[in-house]
Each structure stands twice: as C-alpha cells, then as structure tokens.
Amino acid sequence: MNTEKTVRKQAKKVLEGNRSVIISEIMVAVLAFLTGLFAFSLAMSVAGLYGVKNPNQTQQMLTMIFGLVFFAFVVVCLPLINGVYRSVCNVVRGRECSSLDVFYYYKKPKLFFKSVILDVISVGLFFIISGLLNVFNYLSAVSDKIIDNSPSLTAVVAVLLVLAFIVSTAVVVVCYIIFVHYTFLAYGFNEHLPLGIYLPRMMAFSIKNFIPTIKLFIGFIGWAALCFFVVPAFYAVPYFLTTSAMSAKWLFELEGSRDIIC
C-alpha cells in the first residue's frame, strides 16, 4: 500500500464518529458566506445597481459602500474556516471536537485579529498571484476579436482556450498549495506560533513537499468531480480536509516540525 492510500485509510478511520461534527462546521461557514453574498446581492438589486451601464456618482458611491461592507463581512467570517481546519487537525491527533469549535477563533480579540491578518495575507496572495497568472482570462478577453478578424482561426482559438483553462486551473491549485493549504493546516495545529512564521515557513515547506501534496490532490479528482452534484460534497469535503491534515501531520513529523503539531 503506497503512502497516499495509507494516509487516506487512516483519515477515513479517524473521521468515523466525527464526520457529523465536521460537516456541521463546514455548513456554518458556508451559510455565513452565502448569507453575506445574499445580503450584498439584495442590496444591489434594491438600489437598482445591476445592469447600469453608465452609473452616476451616487450609484458609484453606493456600489463602493456595498462592496466594502461585503468585503468586511467576508473578512470577519474567515476565522470560521480556521475553526474547521482546527477541528480536522484535532481529529487526526485523536482529540475531541465539537460543532462549536468552528467559533474557536472568536473567543479572544487577539486570537481573532491574528487569524484575520493571517487569512487576509495568505488568501490575498492566493487570489492576486493566481489572478495575475490566469492566462484563460487574458485569452478570453481577446478571443472574440481574434475570431472576428480571422474566422478561420475559430478552431485554433477554441483549442487554445481549453489549454489555457487547464493551465489556469493548474496555476490555481499550485497557488492554493503554496499560499493557503499548509498555512491554514499549520495554524490549525498550533495557533500559538508568532504570526510572521506561518506563511514564509509553510511556503518553503509546500514547495519542498510539492510532489507528495500533488499526489494527494490527484487522489481526490474523482471526488471533486462528484461534488458538482452537491450531495457527495458532504462526504468528500470532510474526507479531503481530514486526509490533508493527516498527510500534513506525517510530513511535519518527518521534517522534525514537532513545534507545529504539539
């Protein structure tokens, strides 16, 4: 049995009896973000700001205000994700966890702001870098113009768009691994380390352990596809997060990073 299969088997075993807790925490986080999105969409709709081609100054101001409020709401909700990661990290260490642990990082102001700062930096870098390297968006912006000028290139452009989408998806996965994956897991294992240590240390760690991480991700491609039907996600997401935490625990131990999984 290879390492990835062993990790998945161990993750599945420790997840038994804790799956409902992890699912409930994920649901709380998802519902929080969806509530904010719904409120933002409703405010924009009531104010008549959708579909406005030439907004006046008042409309621009309202759009900016609504956008800032929504952004602030998302930032405030980010520690919920940390709570989910902390729970799966506790599960792989054999510790008890409860559904209320999703709110763990709201218990103390210092812990809350530490979580928010770490999340904003790591998630911000993820979106900025992956956005700048998104060749699919660049090609999509000029594809119509290319086809209009040279209709004979339609098939070529279609193939290039498919290739660009694959490349852009790969870039998103790589950026997630480097900036978010191990950073959130390390913080889930131990929130007491100095704030400035997590991201630089985990970026180096993720690059060093990139191949094992990719192998782990590849093992969940089928589950990711099934999540399109929503219901399988209730099984796949907790399974993936727990497997990721179990894999990280193994790698941290092999690297001698016991200060993280203490």
Side-chain angles (χ1 to χ4, degrees):
M1 185 179 293
N2 60 34
T3 303
E4 289 73 31
K5 288 184 178 179
T6 302
V7 170
R8 291 200 297 270
K9 184 177 180 179
Q10 290 183 345
K12 189 180 295 185
K13 183 177 180 179
V14 299
L15 192 55
E16 294 177 3
N18 293 296
R19 186 180 300 277
S20 60
V21 172
I22 304 303
I23 289 175
S24 64
E25 292 186 3
I26 293 172
M27 289 298 294
V28 168
V30 171
L31 287 174
F33 287 106
L34 288 178
T35 299
L37 181 61
F38 174 76
F40 172 73
S41 300
L42 182 62
M44 291 285 288
S45 180
V46 171
L49 298 175
Y50 282 126
V52 179
K53 294 182 179 180
N54 297 303
N56 56 39
Q57 189 172 1
T58 301
Q59 291 172 325
Q60 290 177 352
M61 183 65 69
L62 283 174
T63 301
M64 184 180 69
I65 292 173
F66 291 155
L68 288 174
V69 171
F70 177 62
F71 175 77
F73 179 83
V74 169
V75 169
V76 170
C77 289
L78 284 175
L80 292 173
I81 299 176
N82 298 123
V84 175
Y85 272 85
R86 183 177 185 274
S87 289
V88 295
C89 290
N90 282 338
V91 166
V92 301
R93 288 183 291 187
R95 300 180 182 179
E96 292 185 4
C97 60
S98 100
S99 300
L100 294 177
D101 288 344
V102 71
F103 302 108
Y104 175 82
Y105 294 98
Y106 294 90
K107 289 183 176 180
K108 298 178 181 179
K110 183 179 180 181
L111 191 58
F112 168 75
F113 285 110
K114 182 179 182 179
S115 304
V116 166
I117 293 171
L118 179 65
D119 293 347
V120 168
I121 293 175
S122 59
V123 175
L125 284 172
F126 163 70
F127 278 112
I128 291 171
I129 303 300
S130 62
L132 289 174
L133 298 178
N134 193 325
V135 293
F136 178 76
N137 283 346
Y138 296 135
L139 184 58
S140 297
V142 299
S143 60
D144 289 340
K145 189 175 293 185
I146 294 174
I147 293 173
D148 289 340
N149 293 333
S150 303
S152 60
L153 295 177
T154 300
V156 175
V157 171
V159 172
L160 289 176
L161 282 171
V162 172
L163 293 175
F165 178 78
I166 294 172
V167 170
S168 297
T169 301
V171 167
V172 168
V173 173
V174 170
C175 288
Y176 171 78
I177 292 172
I178 293 175
F179 298 114
V180 179
H181 185 66
Y182 285 112
T183 300
F184 276 38
L185 285 169
Y187 191 62
F189 277 116
N190 185 358
E191 72 273 11
H192 301 296
L193 297 175
L195 182 61
I197 286 180
Y198 291 100
L199 190 57
R201 184 173 171 182
M202 288 305 102
M203 286 174 63
F205 182 87
S206 64
I207 293 171
K208 185 176 181 180
N209 295 282
F210 185 76
I211 299 301
T213 308
I214 285 294
K215 289 181 179 179
L216 181 71
F217 276 49
I218 290 174
F220 280 89
I221 289 179
W223 283 111
L226 287 175
C227 286
F228 174 79
F229 299 101
V230 180
V231 174
F234 288 100
Y235 179 89
V237 175
Y239 183 28
F240 170 73
L241 291 176
T242 306
T243 304
S244 295
M246 182 66 74
S247 175
K249 179 175 175 289
W250 271 41
L251 292 173
F252 289 147
E253 289 174 345
L254 289 172
E255 293 285 318
S257 302
R258 295 187 178 276
D259 58 323
I260 295 177
I261 56 175
C262 63

